[in-house]
């Protein structure tokens, strides 16, 4: 079974803090993705990576950065958290085609 | 332009009823994939099925079945004899090959409530 894990299920941070969300997959997938999910807006792609040290912007990259130093790990970084980044963050990995998701991190920025 | 429409925002059924979730897609490409995902209240999206554009065979997996019709650009999902555990948000998705990865467009989701 594909396993995608995320470092936290729930996270509360203050405005201006630097936030790291970690994602690890154990299936040797080339592709990894970060989405955010908000009511009424569906899933929106923030960043993705198709290889180690490679990254590409998705639809809403502003305010975020990513890091992929190892194939199995893809990190999402909020350089200076803001209240409008309160959301559910979903990580996914893919061999090409279907994506396998982690359990999500519900981030609240106060 | 790519687009996935799930016209049903919310559906409620009584346990043991059959229910069909509709999905209509738009794409310019002749080669593409379609998917269904389930998101239960716990929040984790679970991959259910993938269908490529060249394979119009319907598929059945237990109580789940999928009807792919290219002529109407639809990929509908039917749950037979629904159960409370089927309560979830279901997403239909479409992917096309971009330069370096498969770009996936998710539909807005249909929230299914199965009432005991």
């Amino acid at each position: 079974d594909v396993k995608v894990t995320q470092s936290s299920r729930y996270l509360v941070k203050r405005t201006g803090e630097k936030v790291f969300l970690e994602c690890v997959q154990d299936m040797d997938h080339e592709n990894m993705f970060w989405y955010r999910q908000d009511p009424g807006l569906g899933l929106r792609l923030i960043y993705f990576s198709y290889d180690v040290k490679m990254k590409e912007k998705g639809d809403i990259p502003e305010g975020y950065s990513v890091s992929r130093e190892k194939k199995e790990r893809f990190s999402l970084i909020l350089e200076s958290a803001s209240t409008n980044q309160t959301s559910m963050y979903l990580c996914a990995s893919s061999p090409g085609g279907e994506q396998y998701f982690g359990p999500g991190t519900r981030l609240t920025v106060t | 332009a790519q687009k996935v429409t799930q016209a049903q925002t919310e559906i409620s059924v009584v346990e043991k009823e059959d229910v069909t979730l509709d999905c209509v897609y738009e794409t310019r490409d002749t080669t593409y994939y379609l998917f269904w995902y389930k998101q239960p209240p716990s929040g984790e999206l679970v991959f259910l099925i993938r269908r490529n554009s060249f394979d119009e065979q319907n598929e059945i997996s237990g109580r789940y079945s999928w009807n792919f019709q290219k002529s109407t650009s639809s990929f509908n999902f039917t749950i037979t004899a629904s159960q409370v555990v089927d309560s979830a948000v279901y997403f239909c998705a479409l992917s096309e090959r971009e330069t370096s990865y498969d770009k996936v467009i998710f539909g807005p989701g249909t929230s299914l409530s199965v009432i005991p």
Side-chain angles (χ1 to χ4, degrees), chain B residues 16 25 29 38 58 60 62 67 72-74 89 92 110 115:
Chain B
K16 297 189 180 146
Y25 62 92
D29 284 7
K38 174 183 180 180
N58 291 332
I60 298 174
N67 184 347
T72 56
S73 296
S74 65
V89 180
C92 180
T110 296
I115 303 163

Side-chain angles (χ1 to χ4, degrees), chain A residues 4-106:
Chain A
V4 179
T5 56
Q6 296 183 227
S7 48
S8 307
R9 288 302 302 269
Y10 299 94
L11 207 52
V12 179
K13 294 292 182 181
R14 293 197 179 276
T15 302
E17 280 192 81
K18 190 169 187 175
V19 181
F20 292 86
L21 302 182
E22 305 284 340
C23 176
V24 178
Q25 52 100 358
D26 67 356
M27 284 303 293
D28 204 36
H29 288 166
E30 301 290 337
N31 306 311
M32 295 188 74
F33 306 82
W34 275 106
Y35 294 89
R36 65 178 281 177
Q37 184 178 25
D38 301 286
L41 297 175
L43 277 86
R44 294 180 291 169
L45 181 64
I46 305 171
Y47 266 98
F48 67 96
S49 168
Y50 53 89
D51 202 352
V52 175
K53 297 194 186 293
M54 305 300 289
K55 59 186 179 185
E56 295 226 9
K57 294 179 181 178
D59 300 321
I60 52 162
E62 297 79 19
Y64 304 95
S65 62
V66 291
S67 171
R68 193 162 181 207
E69 296 296 319
K70 293 185 178 181
K71 191 174 187 179
E72 67 271 18
R73 187 180 298 269
F74 191 36
S75 303
L76 180 70
I77 304 155
L78 286 66
E79 297 290 343
S80 177
S82 64
T83 55
N84 63 13
Q85 293 179 308
T86 291
S87 185
M88 170 70 93
Y89 289 88
L90 297 169
C91 174
S93 74
S94 172
E98 67 274 15
Q99 296 184 7
Y100 296 90
F101 285 82
T105 296
R106 188 166 293 281

